[in-house]
Amino acid sequence: MNIIQCKMARVALGWGTRDLARNAGVSPDTVARFERGEQLKGTTVAALRDTFEAAGIEFIPENGGGPGVRLSRNQN
């Protein structure tokens, strides 16, 4: 997951940085630092990604059109 995918996933879910932080069990400052491009521990980035995936986000890898996100088909 990169910075843009993080922001896109939050918007798709209608979450602010505090919502993501609360759901991932990290501080809002940690989310803001990641989205500013600061390096975080791999376990922290994994926690953010796992939180998004549990909420129905699918991450799309770089495939010629750039990396992205989408909502799972199981979402209402």
Side-chain angles (χ1 to χ4, degrees), residues 1-73:
M1 175 178 71
N2 65 31
I3 298 164
I4 299 300
Q5 286 174 308
C6 182
K7 291 178 182 181
M8 291 170 68
R10 281 196 307 99
V11 170
L13 294 170
W15 288 0
T17 56
R18 290 184 179 165
D19 299 310
L20 174 56
R22 181 179 58 252
N23 288 310
V26 301
S27 74
D29 184 54
T30 298
V31 174
R33 287 183 326 154
F34 180 69
E35 291 188 352
R36 281 195 308 263
E38 293 183 30
Q39 192 74 9
L40 301 182
K41 292 179 183 178
T43 55
T44 303
V45 175
L48 296 174
R49 184 180 177 124
D50 291 347
T51 299
F52 282 134
E53 289 175 340
I57 294 292
E58 294 180 3
F59 290 89
I60 303 166
E62 176 81 37
N63 61 2
V69 300
R70 66 177 164 224
L71 289 172
S72 169
R73 288 187 178 161

